[in-house]
Amino acid sequence: MAASSAAFAACLLACALLFQMCVASRKLTALVQDQPITMTYHKGALLSGRIAVNLIWYGNFSAPQRAVITDFVSSLSTPPSPQPQPEPSVASWFKTAQKYYTNSKARFPALSLGQHVLDQSYSLGKRLGEKDLVRLAARGSPSRAINVVLTADDVAVDGFCMSRCGTHGASPRSRAGRFAYVWVGNPATQCPGQCAWPYHQPVYGPQAAPLTPPNGDVGVDGMVISLASMIVGTVTNPFGNGFFQGDADAPLEAATACAGVYGKGAYPGYAGSLLVDPASGASYNANGAHGRKYLVPALVDPDTSACSTVG
């Protein structure tokens, strides 16, 4: 079960610059790091082989909202010809995480979209704690899986908006196996200025006009940013003793160490140089499956010990 530690309060200069707890919460922080960032391998187990990414939808999500996130998960793997993702792509971005595996004996996992579990009746209520998230995650596969819990915009989760936008962890060991899990909440009504920046005006810090989200949904496009960060954290540090920098109780991981950086030249309040769709005016940095466009965070490249942006 993931540990929980509210190590840092929400102090936003770039509004959704994110730090993390032991479970690698996507948190709000004030620094865009530009000094060398060394990720240390702590010799723990990593994911390998075929891994299903199961999506547990808690609360009300429309079909278009589910499609945006489903297509993002599908985008993580390189599709066979003749339908490759145009570059820069989500698949190419995800390959930076693969570099971490050269320093271990594990083979980089092959992620694939698994099952969908819908709970539109709010079976655990509209206020969830950490134990509730693990219970929901257990509705996915018991092993060889990343079970992703996605909570609707009217669901309150402990720490959501105050210290985190998402989190990842792992189930206890059991005879059935062990699964990794991710939780991400929809910030549309609760904290878009914190967990959907740069697609919403920030609550604190430099005030710049919000960017246009590529999928037309501030909350869901914000969820994709958090989900991208947490999936990379899960792949590189699934059980809390993989790749990270700093204290194990509040580690920086491959994505959270680059919080708030999405394009070249980023600084607090400015996401960096991004691509702009000429038709919609939406800002993005990666192409995905089925013609989708997404904004994904910079990742620490282990070859350069620096934040690397896609493209």
Side-chain angles (χ1 to χ4, degrees), residues 57-74:
W57 305 90
Y58 189 80
N60 292 317
F61 287 92
S62 67
Q65 288 177 323
R66 293 198 299 269
V68 170
I69 292 177
T70 298
D71 286 346
F72 175 75
V73 173
S74 298

Side-chain angles (χ1 to χ4, degrees), residues 37-41 46 94-106 108 232 235-237 242-244 252-255 257-258 299-303 305-306:
I37 309 169
T38 302
M39 292 291 153
T40 301
Y41 181 38
L46 300 173
F94 194 51
K95 286 181 179 178
T96 299
Q98 186 171 353
K99 294 183 179 181
Y100 286 84
Y101 278 62
T102 62
N103 296 321
S104 73
K105 295 181 180 180
F108 192 68
V232 169
V235 168
T236 57
N237 187 31
F243 289 92
F244 63 86
L252 283 174
E253 295 179 337
C258 299
L299 302 177
V300 175
D301 188 328
D303 293 341
S305 296

